Amino acid sequence: MNKEIFHTFLVKYAEIGIKGKNRYMFEDALISQIQRGLSHVEGKFSVHKTPGRIYVDCSEGFDYDEVIDRLKHIFGIIWICPVLCLEDKGFEELGKDIVKYFDDVYPDKNLTFKVNARRNRKNYPMDSMEINAALGEAILDAYPELKVDVHKPQVMLEVEIRDLIYVYSRMIPGPGGMPVGTGGRGMLLLSGGIDSPVAGWMVSKRGVSIDAVYFHAPPYTSERAKQKVIDLAKIIAEYTGPIRLHIVNFTDIQLAIYEKCPHDELTIIMRRYMMRIAEHYAHECGAIGLITGESIGQVASQTMASMVSTNEVCELPVYRPLVAFDKQDIVTIAEKIGTYETSILPFEDCCTIFVAKHPVTKPNVNIIRKHEHHLDDVIEDLLNKVYETTEVVEVK
Ligand code: ATP
Ligand code: MG
């Protein structure tokens, strides 16, 4: 294929199309997300909209594949179509341009096709049916080995007559979802595992901006474990936009729980403090929900009963997009979005260091609360120390 004929991409969006009066807000959010995504790509890009459509015009010398790769990271886009933009120089010229387009894009002509013309400009001298027939004929004249198939063509050649004439046939899938920035802000509890990056990605796909908290436990967890979480945040930030990653030193709280609370309740009590601290930073960042990678029954701390205990310590809703996902389904998404390879690097996690041999799977909230009181003398100081020592990394 000759990629050099393309200087413009047509961006198609789905759900934004049905947002009624607020539609322009969603379109503008999508435009600014596209601009953000392309800001790291060499070249100049102009992103603009016409009713129902967004176009990205690219300057000379841009990298076609890189632009498509960037656009594949922008939530809200369902199709990316490299498009030929032609001035209206009469039908004969259009026919010639289309014949050349076909050759540039499909050097191998062993194909079936159909022309699908649309006239948004009603003063065009031919109607859609006439355009379809005449262009189909011009293409067949030039390449007799092609075949027309009006039901299931391999190539659907779209010809849209607007102020310019837009010709496209390749449709590259985008990630779908809603543009980031249209759905509020969430605070993701981001560990170095497989699940939480996927959970953050999924919620952000619905238009939610993301900040994150990571709990580490030096010297029990290493700098490399911390770097791994920063790397994961970087990968999802390509989709979600900038993430303020709060790196919380959790060691002293974990040690205090270990010392003062029953060992079979360690994980639950630890998770309750994670939620409280995450909620503290959510309030600071203007986040109105917490996000975790929990899935029912995956481990003892993720039974429904355990989630009752972790939920009750925070007021904000806790979003658990993976709640009903099997591990393999989560892995499939992690591979697709590019986090899997990093997630499986073998560094220790703070949760795995102080685990009990037989953790409770049906914690009783009243008993957990009672045992948590064993921390009353120390916890305020420990939390204050956490808030003083948290490091915030801006991940872009
Ligand atoms: P993940 O693959 O996301 O690490 P997991 O299967 O290891 O999940 P848990 O360790 O029980 O499960 O953690 C459940 C959820 O709690 C995680 O998905 C994450 O949202 C949060 N979490 C766990 N450990 C941490 C941590 N060290 N820092 C921040 N969040 C954490
Ligand atoms: Mg984990």
Side-chain angles (χ1 to χ4, degrees), residues 275-299:
M275 299 305 255
R276 291 177 172 114
I277 295 169
E279 186 168 64
H280 171 92
Y281 288 115
H283 289 314
E284 243 182 54
C285 294
I288 54 174
L290 305 179
I291 304 162
T292 77
E294 289 160 302
S295 161
I296 296 175
Q298 202 186 75
V299 287

mmCIF file with all atom_site columns, all heavy atoms in Angstrom, residues 275-299:
data_model
loop_
_atom_site.group_PDB
_atom_site.id
_atom_site.type_symbol
_atom_site.label_atom_id
_atom_site.label_alt_id
_atom_site.label_comp_id
_atom_site.label_asym_id
_atom_site.label_entity_id
_atom_site.label_seq_id
_atom_site.pdbx_PDB_ins_code
_atom_site.Cartn_x
_atom_site.Cartn_y
_atom_site.Cartn_z
_atom_site.occupancy
_atom_site.B_iso_or_equiv
_atom_site.pdbx_formal_charge
_atom_site.auth_seq_id
_atom_site.auth_comp_id
_atom_site.auth_asym_id
_atom_site.auth_atom_id
_atom_site.pdbx_PDB_model_num
ATOM 1   N N   . MET A 1 275 ? -7.390  1.532   51.827 1.00 0.00 ? 275 MET A N   1
ATOM 2   C CA  . MET A 1 275 ? -8.575  2.256   51.343 1.00 0.00 ? 275 MET A CA  1
ATOM 3   C C   . MET A 1 275 ? -8.673  3.633   51.991 1.00 0.00 ? 275 MET A C   1
ATOM 4   O O   . MET A 1 275 ? -8.965  4.627   51.332 1.00 0.00 ? 275 MET A O   1
ATOM 5   C CB  . MET A 1 275 ? -9.856  1.467   51.645 1.00 0.00 ? 275 MET A CB  1
ATOM 6   C CG  . MET A 1 275 ? -9.930  0.105   51.001 1.00 0.00 ? 275 MET A CG  1
ATOM 7   S SD  . MET A 1 275 ? -9.705  0.153   49.228 1.00 0.00 ? 275 MET A SD  1
ATOM 8   C CE  . MET A 1 275 ? -11.356 -0.098  48.685 1.00 0.00 ? 275 MET A CE  1
ATOM 9   N N   . ARG A 1 276 ? -8.417  3.685   53.293 1.00 0.00 ? 276 ARG A N   1
ATOM 10  C CA  . ARG A 1 276 ? -8.502  4.978   53.985 1.00 0.00 ? 276 ARG A CA  1
ATOM 11  C C   . ARG A 1 276 ? -7.482  5.965   53.408 1.00 0.00 ? 276 ARG A C   1
ATOM 12  O O   . ARG A 1 276 ? -7.787  7.133   53.173 1.00 0.00 ? 276 ARG A O   1
ATOM 13  C CB  . ARG A 1 276 ? -8.218  4.798   55.484 1.00 0.00 ? 276 ARG A CB  1
ATOM 14  C CG  . ARG A 1 276 ? -9.306  4.046   56.230 1.00 0.00 ? 276 ARG A CG  1
ATOM 15  C CD  . ARG A 1 276 ? -8.876  3.867   57.694 1.00 0.00 ? 276 ARG A CD  1
ATOM 16  N NE  . ARG A 1 276 ? -9.933  3.322   58.514 1.00 0.00 ? 276 ARG A NE  1
ATOM 17  C CZ  . ARG A 1 276 ? -9.892  2.113   59.094 1.00 0.00 ? 276 ARG A CZ  1
ATOM 18  N NH1 . ARG A 1 276 ? -8.828  1.322   58.904 1.00 0.00 ? 276 ARG A NH1 1
ATOM 19  N NH2 . ARG A 1 276 ? -10.881 1.694   59.831 1.00 0.00 ? 276 ARG A NH2 1
ATOM 20  N N   . ILE A 1 277 ? -6.270  5.479   53.195 1.00 0.00 ? 277 ILE A N   1
ATOM 21  C CA  . ILE A 1 277 ? -5.217  6.378   52.695 1.00 0.00 ? 277 ILE A CA  1
ATOM 22  C C   . ILE A 1 277 ? -5.526  6.785   51.247 1.00 0.00 ? 277 ILE A C   1
ATOM 23  O O   . ILE A 1 277 ? -5.384  7.951   50.864 1.00 0.00 ? 277 ILE A O   1
ATOM 24  C CB  . ILE A 1 277 ? -3.835  5.693   52.817 1.00 0.00 ? 277 ILE A CB  1
ATOM 25  C CG1 . ILE A 1 277 ? -3.506  5.485   54.309 1.00 0.00 ? 277 ILE A CG1 1
ATOM 26  C CG2 . ILE A 1 277 ? -2.744  6.521   52.131 1.00 0.00 ? 277 ILE A CG2 1
ATOM 27  C CD1 . ILE A 1 277 ? -2.302  4.574   54.564 1.00 0.00 ? 277 ILE A CD1 1
ATOM 28  N N   . ALA A 1 278 ? -6.003  5.831   50.469 1.00 0.00 ? 278 ALA A N   1
ATOM 29  C CA  . ALA A 1 278 ? -6.366  6.159   49.078 1.00 0.00 ? 278 ALA A CA  1
ATOM 30  C C   . ALA A 1 278 ? -7.474  7.211   49.057 1.00 0.00 ? 278 ALA A C   1
ATOM 31  O O   . ALA A 1 278 ? -7.455  8.143   48.247 1.00 0.00 ? 278 ALA A O   1
ATOM 32  C CB  . ALA A 1 278 ? -6.811  4.902   48.338 1.00 0.00 ? 278 ALA A CB  1
ATOM 33  N N   . GLU A 1 279 ? -8.418  7.085   49.988 1.00 0.00 ? 279 GLU A N   1
ATOM 34  C CA  . GLU A 1 279 ? -9.514  8.059   50.024 1.00 0.00 ? 279 GLU A CA  1
ATOM 35  C C   . GLU A 1 279 ? -8.988  9.454   50.408 1.00 0.00 ? 279 GLU A C   1
ATOM 36  O O   . GLU A 1 279 ? -9.422  10.456  49.852 1.00 0.00 ? 279 GLU A O   1
ATOM 37  C CB  . GLU A 1 279 ? -10.601 7.607   51.006 1.00 0.00 ? 279 GLU A CB  1
ATOM 38  C CG  . GLU A 1 279 ? -11.812 8.524   50.966 1.00 0.00 ? 279 GLU A CG  1
ATOM 39  C CD  . GLU A 1 279 ? -13.013 7.944   51.704 1.00 0.00 ? 279 GLU A CD  1
ATOM 40  O OE1 . GLU A 1 279 ? -12.939 7.766   52.933 1.00 0.00 ? 279 GLU A OE1 1
ATOM 41  O OE2 . GLU A 1 279 ? -14.012 7.659   51.045 1.00 0.00 ? 279 GLU A OE2 1
ATOM 42  N N   . HIS A 1 280 ? -8.028  9.481   51.316 1.00 0.00 ? 280 HIS A N   1
ATOM 43  C CA  . HIS A 1 280 ? -7.408  10.761  51.682 1.00 0.00 ? 280 HIS A CA  1
ATOM 44  C C   . HIS A 1 280 ? -6.847  11.455  50.432 1.00 0.00 ? 280 HIS A C   1
ATOM 45  O O   . HIS A 1 280 ? -7.108  12.636  50.196 1.00 0.00 ? 280 HIS A O   1
ATOM 46  C CB  . HIS A 1 280 ? -6.287  10.483  52.702 1.00 0.00 ? 280 HIS A CB  1
ATOM 47  C CG  . HIS A 1 280 ? -5.429  11.659  53.010 1.00 0.00 ? 280 HIS A CG  1
ATOM 48  N ND1 . HIS A 1 280 ? -5.688  12.514  54.057 1.00 0.00 ? 280 HIS A ND1 1
ATOM 49  C CD2 . HIS A 1 280 ? -4.305  12.134  52.396 1.00 0.00 ? 280 HIS A CD2 1
ATOM 50  C CE1 . HIS A 1 280 ? -4.764  13.463  54.081 1.00 0.00 ? 280 HIS A CE1 1
ATOM 51  N NE2 . HIS A 1 280 ? -3.908  13.252  53.085 1.00 0.00 ? 280 HIS A NE2 1
ATOM 52  N N   . TYR A 1 281 ? -6.100  10.695  49.622 1.00 0.00 ? 281 TYR A N   1
ATOM 53  C CA  . TYR A 1 281 ? -5.517  11.308  48.419 1.00 0.00 ? 281 TYR A CA  1
ATOM 54  C C   . TYR A 1 281 ? -6.574  11.571  47.348 1.00 0.00 ? 281 TYR A C   1
ATOM 55  O O   . TYR A 1 281 ? -6.429  12.498  46.550 1.00 0.00 ? 281 TYR A O   1
ATOM 56  C CB  . TYR A 1 281 ? -4.359  10.457  47.886 1.00 0.00 ? 281 TYR A CB  1
ATOM 57  C CG  . TYR A 1 281 ? -3.167  10.571  48.813 1.00 0.00 ? 281 TYR A CG  1
ATOM 58  C CD1 . TYR A 1 281 ? -2.695  9.477   49.518 1.00 0.00 ? 281 TYR A CD1 1
ATOM 59  C CD2 . TYR A 1 281 ? -2.568  11.811  49.015 1.00 0.00 ? 281 TYR A CD2 1
ATOM 60  C CE1 . TYR A 1 281 ? -1.636  9.604   50.399 1.00 0.00 ? 281 TYR A CE1 1
ATOM 61  C CE2 . TYR A 1 281 ? -1.513  11.949  49.901 1.00 0.00 ? 281 TYR A CE2 1
ATOM 62  C CZ  . TYR A 1 281 ? -1.053  10.844  50.587 1.00 0.00 ? 281 TYR A CZ  1
ATOM 63  O OH  . TYR A 1 281 ? -0.025  10.989  51.467 1.00 0.00 ? 281 TYR A OH  1
ATOM 64  N N   . ALA A 1 282 ? -7.639  10.770  47.345 1.00 0.00 ? 282 ALA A N   1
ATOM 65  C CA  . ALA A 1 282 ? -8.732  11.040  46.399 1.00 0.00 ? 282 ALA A CA  1
ATOM 66  C C   . ALA A 1 282 ? -9.302  12.429  46.680 1.00 0.00 ? 282 ALA A C   1
ATOM 67  O O   . ALA A 1 282 ? -9.474  13.240  45.772 1.00 0.00 ? 282 ALA A O   1
ATOM 68  C CB  . ALA A 1 282 ? -9.815  9.973   46.532 1.00 0.00 ? 282 ALA A CB  1
ATOM 69  N N   . HIS A 1 283 ? -9.552  12.714  47.961 1.00 0.00 ? 283 HIS A N   1
ATOM 70  C CA  . HIS A 1 283 ? -10.093 14.031  48.305 1.00 0.00 ? 283 HIS A CA  1
ATOM 71  C C   . HIS A 1 283 ? -9.125  15.133  47.877 1.00 0.00 ? 283 HIS A C   1
ATOM 72  O O   . HIS A 1 283 ? -9.530  16.154  47.345 1.00 0.00 ? 283 HIS A O   1
ATOM 73  C CB  . HIS A 1 283 ? -10.381 14.122  49.808 1.00 0.00 ? 283 HIS A CB  1
ATOM 74  C CG  . HIS A 1 283 ? -11.558 13.284  50.230 1.00 0.00 ? 283 HIS A CG  1
ATOM 75  N ND1 . HIS A 1 283 ? -12.743 13.278  49.541 1.00 0.00 ? 283 HIS A ND1 1
ATOM 76  C CD2 . HIS A 1 283 ? -11.725 12.412  51.248 1.00 0.00 ? 283 HIS A CD2 1
ATOM 77  C CE1 . HIS A 1 283 ? -13.607 12.447  50.125 1.00 0.00 ? 283 HIS A CE1 1
ATOM 78  N NE2 . HIS A 1 283 ? -12.999 11.902  51.165 1.00 0.00 ? 283 HIS A NE2 1
ATOM 79  N N   . GLU A 1 284 ? -7.844  14.889  48.086 1.00 0.00 ? 284 GLU A N   1
ATOM 80  C CA  . GLU A 1 284 ? -6.854  15.907  47.716 1.00 0.00 ? 284 GLU A CA  1
ATOM 81  C C   . GLU A 1 284 ? -6.843  16.191  46.219 1.00 0.00 ? 284 GLU A C   1
ATOM 82  O O   . GLU A 1 284 ? -6.597  17.304  45.790 1.00 0.00 ? 284 GLU A O   1
ATOM 83  C CB  . GLU A 1 284 ? -5.456  15.409  48.127 1.00 0.00 ? 284 GLU A CB  1
ATOM 84  C CG  . GLU A 1 284 ? -4.812  16.299  49.159 1.00 0.00 ? 284 GLU A CG  1
ATOM 85  C CD  . GLU A 1 284 ? -3.412  15.797  49.484 1.00 0.00 ? 284 GLU A CD  1
ATOM 86  O OE1 . GLU A 1 284 ? -2.572  15.603  48.569 1.00 0.00 ? 284 GLU A OE1 1
ATOM 87  O OE2 . GLU A 1 284 ? -3.190  15.607  50.675 1.00 0.00 ? 284 GLU A OE2 1
ATOM 88  N N   . CYS A 1 285 ? -7.080  15.148  45.425 1.00 0.00 ? 285 CYS A N   1
ATOM 89  C CA  . CYS A 1 285 ? -6.980  15.277  43.961 1.00 0.00 ? 285 CYS A CA  1
ATOM 90  C C   . CYS A 1 285 ? -8.312  15.583  43.300 1.00 0.00 ? 285 CYS A C   1
ATOM 91  O O   . CYS A 1 285 ? -8.383  15.711  42.079 1.00 0.00 ? 285 CYS A O   1
ATOM 92  C CB  . CYS A 1 285 ? -6.449  13.978  43.348 1.00 0.00 ? 285 CYS A CB  1
ATOM 93  S SG  . CYS A 1 285 ? -4.775  13.612  43.812 1.00 0.00 ? 285 CYS A SG  1
ATOM 94  N N   . GLY A 1 286 ? -9.384  15.633  44.083 1.00 0.00 ? 286 GLY A N   1
ATOM 95  C CA  . GLY A 1 286 ? -10.697 15.836  43.467 1.00 0.00 ? 286 GLY A CA  1
ATOM 96  C C   . GLY A 1 286 ? -11.245 14.568  42.822 1.00 0.00 ? 286 GLY A C   1
ATOM 97  O O   . GLY A 1 286 ? -12.102 14.641  41.942 1.00 0.00 ? 286 GLY A O   1
ATOM 98  N N   . ALA A 1 287 ? -10.751 13.411  43.266 1.00 0.00 ? 287 ALA A N   1
ATOM 99  C CA  . ALA A 1 287 ? -11.289 12.154  42.743 1.00 0.00 ? 287 ALA A CA  1
ATOM 100 C C   . ALA A 1 287 ? -12.555 11.801  43.522 1.00 0.00 ? 287 ALA A C   1
ATOM 101 O O   . ALA A 1 287 ? -12.619 12.003  44.734 1.00 0.00 ? 287 ALA A O   1
ATOM 102 C CB  . ALA A 1 287 ? -10.262 11.034  42.880 1.00 0.00 ? 287 ALA A CB  1
ATOM 103 N N   . ILE A 1 288 ? -13.553 11.264  42.829 1.00 0.00 ? 288 ILE A N   1
ATOM 104 C CA  . ILE A 1 288 ? -14.830 10.980  43.490 1.00 0.00 ? 288 ILE A CA  1
ATOM 105 C C   . ILE A 1 288 ? -15.158 9.486   43.496 1.00 0.00 ? 288 ILE A C   1
ATOM 106 O O   . ILE A 1 288 ? -16.300 9.096   43.681 1.00 0.00 ? 288 ILE A O   1
ATOM 107 C CB  . ILE A 1 288 ? -15.983 11.804  42.876 1.00 0.00 ? 288 ILE A CB  1
ATOM 108 C CG1 . ILE A 1 288 ? -16.045 11.598  41.355 1.00 0.00 ? 288 ILE A CG1 1
ATOM 109 C CG2 . ILE A 1 288 ? -15.820 13.281  43.198 1.00 0.00 ? 288 ILE A CG2 1
ATOM 110 C CD1 . ILE A 1 288 ? -17.251 12.258  40.700 1.00 0.00 ? 288 ILE A CD1 1
ATOM 111 N N   . GLY A 1 289 ? -14.146 8.662   43.309 1.00 0.00 ? 289 GLY A N   1
ATOM 112 C CA  . GLY A 1 289 ? -14.345 7.220   43.429 1.00 0.00 ? 289 GLY A CA  1
ATOM 113 C C   . GLY A 1 289 ? -12.990 6.547   43.546 1.00 0.00 ? 289 GLY A C   1
ATOM 114 O O   . GLY A 1 289 ? -11.975 7.090   43.089 1.00 0.00 ? 289 GLY A O   1
ATOM 115 N N   . LEU A 1 290 ? -12.970 5.376   44.207 1.00 0.00 ? 290 LEU A N   1
ATOM 116 C CA  . LEU A 1 290 ? -11.741 4.576   44.274 1.00 0.00 ? 290 LEU A CA  1
ATOM 117 C C   . LEU A 1 290 ? -11.872 3.435   43.259 1.00 0.00 ? 290 LEU A C   1
ATOM 118 O O   . LEU A 1 290 ? -12.988 2.981   42.977 1.00 0.00 ? 290 LEU A O   1
ATOM 119 C CB  . LEU A 1 290 ? -11.547 4.001   45.679 1.00 0.00 ? 290 LEU A CB  1
ATOM 120 C CG  . LEU A 1 290 ? -11.540 5.002   46.839 1.00 0.00 ? 290 LEU A CG  1
ATOM 121 C CD1 . LEU A 1 290 ? -11.360 4.259   48.167 1.00 0.00 ? 290 LEU A CD1 1
ATOM 122 C CD2 . LEU A 1 290 ? -10.438 6.044   46.662 1.00 0.00 ? 290 LEU A CD2 1
ATOM 123 N N   . ILE A 1 291 ? -10.744 2.995   42.734 1.00 0.00 ? 291 ILE A N   1
ATOM 124 C CA  . ILE A 1 291 ? -10.771 1.916   41.737 1.00 0.00 ? 291 ILE A CA  1
ATOM 125 C C   . ILE A 1 291 ? -9.774  0.837   42.171 1.00 0.00 ? 291 ILE A C   1
ATOM 126 O O   . ILE A 1 291 ? -8.617  1.154   42.483 1.00 0.00 ? 291 ILE A O   1
ATOM 127 C CB  . ILE A 1 291 ? -10.348 2.447   40.350 1.00 0.00 ? 291 ILE A CB  1
ATOM 128 C CG1 . ILE A 1 291 ? -11.237 3.616   39.922 1.00 0.00 ? 291 ILE A CG1 1
ATOM 129 C CG2 . ILE A 1 291 ? -10.387 1.321   39.298 1.00 0.00 ? 291 ILE A CG2 1
ATOM 130 C CD1 . ILE A 1 291 ? -10.643 4.456   38.801 1.00 0.00 ? 291 ILE A CD1 1
ATOM 131 N N   . THR A 1 292 ? -10.210 -0.416  42.195 1.00 0.00 ? 292 THR A N   1
ATOM 132 C CA  . THR A 1 292 ? -9.278  -1.500  42.498 1.00 0.00 ? 292 THR A CA  1
ATOM 133 C C   . THR A 1 292 ? -9.398  -2.606  41.451 1.00 0.00 ? 292 THR A C   1
ATOM 134 O O   . THR A 1 292 ? -10.353 -2.648  40.681 1.00 0.00 ? 292 THR A O   1
ATOM 135 C CB  . THR A 1 292 ? -9.549  -2.148  43.879 1.00 0.00 ? 292 THR A CB  1
ATOM 136 O OG1 . THR A 1 292 ? -10.684 -3.011  43.755 1.00 0.00 ? 292 THR A OG1 1
ATOM 137 C CG2 . THR A 1 292 ? -9.790  -1.130  44.969 1.00 0.00 ? 292 THR A CG2 1
ATOM 138 N N   . GLY A 1 293 ? -8.436  -3.502  41.479 1.00 0.00 ? 293 GLY A N   1
ATOM 139 C CA  . GLY A 1 293 ? -8.424  -4.619  40.533 1.00 0.00 ? 293 GLY A CA  1
ATOM 140 C C   . GLY A 1 293 ? -9.001  -5.894  41.134 1.00 0.00 ? 293 GLY A C   1
ATOM 141 O O   . GLY A 1 293 ? -8.673  -6.983  40.678 1.00 0.00 ? 293 GLY A O   1
ATOM 142 N N   . GLU A 1 294 ? -9.844  -5.761  42.143 1.00 0.00 ? 294 GLU A N   1
ATOM 143 C CA  . GLU A 1 294 ? -10.350 -6.961  42.807 1.00 0.00 ? 294 GLU A CA  1
ATOM 144 C C   . GLU A 1 294 ? -11.357 -7.727  41.949 1.00 0.00 ? 294 GLU A C   1
ATOM 145 O O   . GLU A 1 294 ? -12.092 -7.141  41.163 1.00 0.00 ? 294 GLU A O   1
ATOM 146 C CB  . GLU A 1 294 ? -11.016 -6.570  44.135 1.00 0.00 ? 294 GLU A CB  1
ATOM 147 C CG  . GLU A 1 294 ? -10.012 -6.132  45.178 1.00 0.00 ? 294 GLU A CG  1
ATOM 148 C CD  . GLU A 1 294 ? -10.651 -5.308  46.270 1.00 0.00 ? 294 GLU A CD  1
ATOM 149 O OE1 . GLU A 1 294 ? -11.250 -4.266  45.957 1.00 0.00 ? 294 GLU A OE1 1
ATOM 150 O OE2 . GLU A 1 294 ? -10.545 -5.717  47.441 1.00 0.00 ? 294 GLU A OE2 1
ATOM 151 N N   . SER A 1 295 ? -11.376 -9.039  42.177 1.00 0.00 ? 295 SER A N   1
ATOM 152 C CA  . SER A 1 295 ? -12.290 -9.914  41.456 1.00 0.00 ? 295 SER A CA  1
ATOM 153 C C   . SER A 1 295 ? -12.783 -10.955 42.462 1.00 0.00 ? 295 SER A C   1
ATOM 154 O O   . SER A 1 295 ? -11.977 -11.521 43.201 1.00 0.00 ? 295 SER A O   1
ATOM 155 C CB  . SER A 1 295 ? -11.493 -10.550 40.315 1.00 0.00 ? 295 SER A CB  1
ATOM 156 O OG  . SER A 1 295 ? -12.119 -11.692 39.840 1.00 0.00 ? 295 SER A OG  1
ATOM 157 N N   . ILE A 1 296 ? -14.069 -11.191 42.500 1.00 0.00 ? 296 ILE A N   1
ATOM 158 C CA  . ILE A 1 296 ? -14.635 -12.033 43.572 1.00 0.00 ? 296 ILE A CA  1
ATOM 159 C C   . ILE A 1 296 ? -13.939 -13.386 43.651 1.00 0.00 ? 296 ILE A C   1
ATOM 160 O O   . ILE A 1 296 ? -13.812 -14.078 42.634 1.00 0.00 ? 296 ILE A O   1
ATOM 161 C CB  . ILE A 1 296 ? -16.146 -12.281 43.370 1.00 0.00 ? 296 ILE A CB  1
ATOM 162 C CG1 . ILE A 1 296 ? -16.913 -10.967 43.466 1.00 0.00 ? 296 ILE A CG1 1
ATOM 163 C CG2 . ILE A 1 296 ? -16.691 -13.266 44.412 1.00 0.00 ? 296 ILE A CG2 1
ATOM 164 C CD1 . ILE A 1 296 ? -18.394 -11.099 43.163 1.00 0.00 ? 296 ILE A CD1 1
ATOM 165 N N   . GLY A 1 297 ? -13.461 -13.678 44.850 1.00 0.00 ? 297 GLY A N   1
ATOM 166 C CA  . GLY A 1 297 ? -12.933 -15.015 45.106 1.00 0.00 ? 297 GLY A CA  1
ATOM 167 C C   . GLY A 1 297 ? -11.519 -15.267 44.628 1.00 0.00 ? 297 GLY A C   1
ATOM 168 O O   . GLY A 1 297 ? -10.997 -16.363 44.791 1.00 0.00 ? 297 GLY A O   1
ATOM 169 N N   . GLN A 1 298 ? -10.872 -14.247 44.051 1.00 0.00 ? 298 GLN A N   1
ATOM 170 C CA  . GLN A 1 298 ? -9.528  -14.502 43.502 1.00 0.00 ? 298 GLN A CA  1
ATOM 171 C C   . GLN A 1 298 ? -8.553  -14.902 44.610 1.00 0.00 ? 298 GLN A C   1
ATOM 172 O O   . GLN A 1 298 ? -7.753  -15.809 44.435 1.00 0.00 ? 298 GLN A O   1
ATOM 173 C CB  . GLN A 1 298 ? -9.025  -13.255 42.769 1.00 0.00 ? 298 GLN A CB  1
ATOM 174 C CG  . GLN A 1 298 ? -7.951  -13.574 41.749 1.00 0.00 ? 298 GLN A CG  1
ATOM 175 C CD  . GLN A 1 298 ? -7.366  -12.302 41.144 1.00 0.00 ? 298 GLN A CD  1
ATOM 176 O OE1 . GLN A 1 298 ? -6.595  -11.609 41.789 1.00 0.00 ? 298 GLN A OE1 1
ATOM 177 N NE2 . GLN A 1 298 ? -7.734  -12.017 39.909 1.00 0.00 ? 298 GLN A NE2 1
ATOM 178 N N   . VAL A 1 299 ? -8.624  -14.186 45.726 1.00 0.00 ? 299 VAL A N   1
ATOM 179 C CA  . VAL A 1 299 ? -7.846  -14.553 46.916 1.00 0.00 ? 299 VAL A CA  1
ATOM 180 C C   . VAL A 1 299 ? -8.717  -14.276 48.145 1.00 0.00 ? 299 VAL A C   1
ATOM 181 O O   . VAL A 1 299 ? -9.800  -13.703 48.010 1.00 0.00 ? 299 VAL A O   1
ATOM 182 C CB  . VAL A 1 299 ? -6.521  -13.734 47.037 1.00 0.00 ? 299 VAL A CB  1
ATOM 183 C CG1 . VAL A 1 299 ? -5.497  -14.181 46.010 1.00 0.00 ? 299 VAL A CG1 1
ATOM 184 C CG2 . VAL A 1 299 ? -6.781  -12.247 46.917 1.00 0.00 ? 299 VAL A CG2 1
#
